[in-house]
Amino acid sequence: MKITDFAAFKKAGRRISMITAYDYSMARIAASSSVDCVLVGDSAAMVMHGHESTIAATPELMAAHTAAVARGAKTKFIVADMPFLSLRSGLPAAMSCAGELLRAGADAVKLEGVDGHEAVIKALVHADIPVVGHVGLTPQSICRLGSYRVQGRGAAQAKKILAQAVRLQKLGCFAIVAECVPSALARRMSALLSIPVIGIGSGPHTDGQVLVLHDVLGLYPDFSPKFAKRYCDGAGLFARALSAFDGDVKRGRFPAREHECA
Ligand code: KIV
């Protein structure tokens, strides 16, 4: 998939699939699948580093994960998240962060929210850096929000989120992620915008869907958001494989003759 496909797919009514990836091995697996594009999400801070929120992600961390993913998923379109505060630390800092992500191998950057980010978004687009917007639940705002919950339930809130999406399109974003907004709002947004709306926890009526890799592969046995679909029991599969290895070592079944180097 290339950047021009986003508009083309929207026009053709062809849905877009996006999956997160954070490291080389998983990026290779994503690359060998049919998913359209890969997001190096700042959820890396949580799923790869065990932090409570995405606040811990830094430009350096995002650039390192992006570089690893880019090495593993050479054929996929890669979007990388601009981390917490990277937009609020002034235009030069924002430009430098986006530049780092592109130099690390991203094809585009994603940023949360729009209020107060207009100048940065304009500058990024002006500098030929493709930008994906992100509305609804913006996890980088967790300290203000207090919890991860659906956004845009009331009419006023819904109107505000819709207006934000329209502004992002006007500012030059080529796609928008709508996270945890009511299905009806996501449907209106998708119908209203000429750029694709990629939903997560926002119902089926969007132009595409994005999920966190660990949720799809069942790598988190204890936690799975209601909106995510687990396509395999990765944690169970891996634990059983490791226990089989352990058993073989303890019973003297591994290594066998075919594993001997000489
Ligand atoms: O960081 C992330 O994984 C994301 C997705 C949840 C859209 O932004």
Side-chain angles (χ1 to χ4, degrees), residues 63-258:
H65 283 295
T66 302
V69 168
R71 285 191 286 269
K74 291 196 173 82
T75 55
K76 297 289 180 190
F77 189 89
I78 297 171
V79 180
D81 263 342
M82 295 279 285
F84 179 61
L85 283 190
S86 60
L87 300 164
R88 296 283 190 197
S89 306
L91 191 54
M95 295 300 283
S96 145
C97 176
E100 276 294 294
L101 297 177
L102 255 69
R103 274 190 287 272
D107 298 295
V109 297
K110 176 168 80 60
L111 47 85
E112 292 186 8
V114 60
D115 301 333
H117 296 160
E118 294 88 344
V120 171
I121 297 172
K122 263 191 198 161
L124 292 172
V125 172
H126 189 65
D128 288 337
I129 297 177
V131 179
V132 178
H134 184 150
V135 296
L137 176 62
T138 48
Q140 288 173 17
S141 311
I142 185 62
C143 296
R144 173 175 57 80
L145 294 172
S147 66
Y148 298 105
R149 59 179 187 276
V150 173
Q151 301 291 307
R153 275 222 165 99
Q157 265 275 324
K159 199 173 156 199
K160 190 174 163 200
I161 292 174
L162 207 54
Q164 287 175 337
V166 170
R167 256 159 69 215
L168 284 166
Q169 173 171 287
K170 279 194 184 138
L171 286 164
C173 291
F174 72 95
I176 285 182
V177 166
E179 180 165 355
C180 290
V181 301
S183 176
L185 172 56
R187 179 182 225 156
R188 271 181 72 197
M189 196 185 291
S190 307
L192 188 67
L193 299 189
S194 57
I195 58 173
V197 174
I198 301 175
I200 173 163
S202 300
H205 308 296
T206 52
D207 306 301
Q209 296 287 333
V210 54
L211 281 178
V212 168
L213 179 96
H214 290 58
D215 294 335
V216 170
L217 299 184
L219 296 174
Y220 265 161
D222 304 329
F223 175 73
S224 179
K226 184 171 176 280
F227 58 75
K229 182 167 171 186
R230 186 179 286 181
Y231 285 83
C232 77
D233 172 25
L237 197 72
F238 291 169
R240 282 193 295 280
L242 293 178
S243 295
F245 162 66
D246 170 68
D248 279 358
V249 169
K250 287 175 180 158
R251 288 182 198 98
R253 285 199 212 125
F254 176 84
R257 174 148 296 171
E258 70 262 31

